[in-house]
Amino acid sequence: MNKRILLLVLLAIFASCNSSKQTTYKRPSTSHKKAVVRKPTTKVTTTKSATASSNSGNSSAASKSETLEAVTRVKVTTEMVNEYIAKFEPIARGNMQQYGIPASIILAQGILESGAGTGPLSSSANNHFGIKCHKDWTGESVRHDDDSEQECFRKYNNPAESYRDHALFLTGRQRYSALFELDKDDYKGWAKGLRSAGYATDPKYPEKLIGLIERYNLQKYDAMVLGVDYEPVPQQSTSVMIADNSSQYQVIAGDTLYSISKRFNITVDQLKSMNNLQDNALSIGQNLRIK
């Protein structure tokens, strides 16, 4: 009897030990599963937040991309101007044939108004002639500081559209009609007439166009269209770019300190010293002391 009682006690103790071990084993498993479930939830939330922040930034940048800040000076080199001429002179000659505007005037305006293709309007809106929206414009536009703050300027899909619209702009407005009565190669008459008709407010606009035409021999493209011989103009004629005060010179596209120094028989160092220049960079329209 005693043996049976002892055996039952031992069996009960053994069963109790097994039950305790199984309970202890299950707890860490349950705890581990809960940890795995929580981690992905945190990661997903973080990713969505970062994406939303990124999209918000892109949206803000896009809303500002159509607003152009005023640029008063555009630095160009002779090489840049020559590259511009080579690229657009075929279009200019084509427009002269079709619309009667001297190719030299078209190119000079394009160079001056677009900064040889580097200015803000030409870079962001393909507007190479500074044409404002006006009431009849229904296409895209951009804002840019000019005579007033944030004026409306036309935007084109490509430069060729800008060149065509320039021709339509001049041929479609009565105030420019007198220009088409001039000789086809009268670039000086055109330069002065554009200013008189109100194309630009700069009083030196004609001189700047004439200076560009004669410096880069743009008249030769007029001669090509007209089928006549071309006679280059002596470079001394570019002196029209000298400011009213003969002690100053106004920089035009293609000028360098070296070329200016040679023209006025002074050294580059003297030019830099008189104008407090720290380097050789020049800007179109910049006035330099030459005496």
Side-chain angles (χ1 to χ4, degrees):
M1 177 64 71
N2 290 334
K3 290 181 178 180
R4 287 182 179 178
I5 293 172
L6 181 60
L7 180 60
L8 291 172
V9 171
L10 291 172
L11 290 172
I13 292 171
F14 180 77
S16 175
C17 288
N18 284 342
S19 175
S20 175
K21 287 180 180 180
Q22 290 175 359
T23 302
T24 303
Y25 175 76
K26 289 180 180 178
R27 286 176 182 172
S29 174
T30 303
S31 174
H32 179 67
K33 286 182 179 178
K34 288 182 180 178
V36 171
V37 171
R38 287 174 183 168
K39 286 182 180 177
T41 303
T42 303
K43 287 182 180 178
V44 171
T45 302
T46 302
T47 302
K48 286 182 178 178
S49 176
T51 303
S53 175
S54 175
N55 287 340
S56 175
N58 290 339
S59 176
S60 175
S63 66
K64 296 180 180 179
S65 63
E66 293 301 318
T67 301
L68 301 176
E69 296 180 0
V71 177
T72 56
R73 293 178 178 178
V74 179
K75 295 180 181 180
V76 298
T77 64
T78 301
E79 183 180 4
M80 291 164 61
V81 176
N82 284 329
E83 288 177 355
Y84 183 91
I85 294 169
K87 184 175 182 179
F88 293 108
E89 60 89 359
I91 297 177
R93 286 190 288 114
N95 282 5
M96 180 177 179
Q97 290 175 326
Q98 184 173 357
Y99 300 103
I101 305 166
S104 58
I105 285 290
I106 296 171
L107 287 171
Q109 283 194 283
I111 294 167
L112 185 62
E113 298 285 354
S114 75
T118 66
L121 287 176
S122 57
S123 299
S124 299
N126 287 312
N127 188 332
H128 284 234
F129 297 91
I131 299 180
K132 298 178 182 179
C133 293
H134 301 286
K135 295 180 180 180
D136 58 342
W137 180 248
T138 59
E140 293 185 72
S141 63
V142 295
R143 295 285 173 176
H144 176 67
D145 291 345
D146 190 51
D147 297 322
S148 302
E149 292 184 358
Q150 295 297 284
E151 292 191 81
C152 183
F153 286 83
R154 301 183 181 190
K155 181 178 181 180
Y156 307 97
N157 292 322
N158 54 65
E161 287 186 6
S162 176
Y163 269 74
R164 180 175 182 274
D165 194 42
H166 169 260
L168 295 176
F169 185 84
L170 295 181
T171 56
R173 284 167 169 73
Q174 183 61 33
R175 58 177 172 159
Y176 298 115
S177 60
L179 295 173
F180 294 90
E181 298 176 6
L182 300 171
D183 291 338
K184 298 300 182 183
D185 56 355
D186 185 4
Y187 62 88
K188 290 184 179 179
W190 267 83
K192 295 173 183 177
L194 284 169
R195 170 70 179 87
S196 299
Y199 191 97
T201 57
D202 182 359
K204 293 186 177 297
Y205 194 73
E207 289 85 352
K208 290 178 179 179
L209 293 182
I210 293 169
L212 285 169
I213 290 171
E214 296 181 349
R215 173 170 289 275
Y216 291 98
N217 297 313
L218 302 182
Q219 322 93 298
K220 66 183 178 183
Y221 301 112
D222 298 339
M224 287 182 187
V225 174
L226 297 174
V228 298
D229 293 333
Y230 164 64
E231 296 182 6
V233 176
Q235 288 298 312
Q236 287 83 349
S237 63
T238 58
S239 61
V240 295
M241 296 307 296
I242 298 177
D244 294 336
N245 183 349
S246 59
S247 66
Q248 291 189 336
Y249 172 79
Q250 188 177 74
V251 177
I252 64 173
D255 275 338
T256 65
L257 285 179
Y258 179 76
S259 66
I260 295 172
S261 70
K262 289 298 182 183
R263 185 177 305 166
F264 299 105
N265 296 318
I266 55 179
T267 67
V268 171
D269 288 338
Q270 286 175 323
L271 265 178
K272 293 175 72 172
S273 176
M274 285 189 293
N275 293 280
N276 297 318
L277 300 177
Q278 302 301 316
D279 53 34
N280 294 338
L282 294 176
S283 304
I284 294 176
Q286 179 179 357
N287 287 323
L288 295 178
R289 289 185 58 194
I290 56 175
K291 292 183 180 180

